[in-house]
Amino acid sequence: MKKTVHPKMTFQFYTDVKCFGPGVAELLLGVREHNSLRSAANSMNMAYSKAWTIIKTCENEFGFKLLNTSIGGKNGGGASLTSEAERLLNDYFAVCDELNMQANQLFSNKLSWLNIEK
Amino acid sequence: MKKTVHPKMTFQFYTDVKCFGPGVAELLLGVREHNSLRSAANSMNMAYSKAWTIIKTCENEFGFKLLNTSIGGKNGGGASLTSEAERLLNDYFAVCDELNMQANQLFSNKLSWLNIEK
């Protein structure tokens, strides 16, 4: 019984360094859900210091803030996505959806012979 | 001066494990060039044992051989690509070319705001 081969497309952004991809996108979705970078990092089993570095690198490369943060206050501080981060996520996932559709279609057209029983 | 953001698309194949992507493709191109898995691995600064494992994993998951190998003989042994490996490379790079074109186009359409001076 042959195993089925599946295509996987990954879409990332680089400047002179890697600055955005599925991992950062997942982290931002986590911030949106948990209103906290620390909780978002925890939910991905990622160290807070790593999550912080990833966000700072991305903000630095893009030249805009991804997170609105507040310290203390009635709700004990927290983080939310800036409008630019929301736009980035929205447009990134829209492009990923389109590219995944294309990748699956092209795999079917050109590479489905990998899944024919030999 | 803001840094320019570039998209990067990566196309990989999975069964229940990752089995093929740009690294294996590069290794196969190296075998084609050098007629040797060891020389191909060297040219990528990859340990021979790692190169061997990568090829064997891929062959096992796909269910066909990627390399014709000969031991000793007049030319001291060596490796060449099977016809399936040639077909795989050809079709893989054709799909990558198409997806890269799409990725660049979609990035221009949806995400070029990342490169507008703020």
Side-chain angles (χ1 to χ4, degrees), chain B residues 49-68:
Chain B
S49 59
K50 184 175 173 187
W52 193 88
T53 302
I54 284 172
I55 296 292
K56 286 295 149 187
T57 299
C58 192
E59 288 183 340
N60 192 49
E61 299 302 306
F62 285 167
F64 56 77
K65 291 278 174 197
L66 294 169
L67 303 185
N68 297 310

Side-chain angles (χ1 to χ4, degrees), chain A residues 36-52:
Chain A
S36 154
L37 180 58
R38 190 176 295 276
S39 302
N42 282 347
S43 73
M44 293 171 71
N45 293 315
M46 182 189 284
Y48 174 70
S49 58
K50 185 176 173 187
W52 193 88

Side-chain angles (χ1 to χ4, degrees), chain A residues 13 15 17-21 23-25 27-28 50-67 84-85 88, chain B residues 2-3 5 114 118:
Chain A
F13 302 153
T15 52
V17 297
K18 184 169 117 177
C19 52
F20 190 83
V24 196
L27 189 58
L28 292 178
K50 185 176 173 187
W52 193 88
T53 302
I54 285 172
I55 296 291
K56 286 295 150 187
T57 299
C58 193
E59 288 183 339
N60 192 50
E61 298 304 305
F62 285 166
F64 56 78
K65 291 277 173 196
L66 294 169
L67 302 186
E84 287 87 352
L88 175 63
Chain B
K2 229 176 91 41
K3 294 179 186 172
V5 182
L114 288 172
K118 277 168 288 289

Side-chain angles (χ1 to χ4, degrees), chain B residues 5-114:
Chain B
V5 182
H6 304 277
K8 181 171 187 280
M9 188 289 303
T10 308
F11 191 49
Q12 297 171 311
F13 302 153
Y14 282 71
T15 51
D16 44 346
V17 298
K18 185 168 116 176
C19 51
F20 189 82
V24 196
E26 188 185 346
L27 188 59
L28 292 177
L29 288 177
V31 172
R32 186 201 272 160
E33 184 183 348
H34 299 286
N35 291 304
S36 154
L37 180 57
R38 189 176 297 275
S39 301
N42 282 347
S43 73
M44 293 171 71
N45 292 316
M46 183 189 284
Y48 174 70
S49 59
K50 184 175 173 187
W52 193 88
T53 302
I54 284 172
I55 296 292
K56 286 295 149 187
T57 299
C58 192
E59 288 183 340
N60 192 49
E61 299 302 306
F62 285 167
F64 56 77
K65 291 278 174 197
L66 294 169
L67 303 185
N68 297 310
T69 52
S70 59
I71 302 168
K74 202 170 68 174
N75 301 309
S80 61
L81 302 188
T82 62
S83 59
E84 287 87 352
E86 290 286 359
R87 184 178 180 191
L88 175 64
L89 280 185
N90 184 66
D91 295 348
Y92 174 74
F93 285 123
V95 171
C96 284
D97 285 351
E98 178 66 27
L99 283 177
N100 276 317
M101 209 165 59
Q102 294 281 341
N104 289 328
Q105 188 61 57
L106 286 163
F107 182 84
S108 291
N109 291 350
K110 293 264 193 188
L111 286 148
S112 59
W113 60 271
L114 288 172

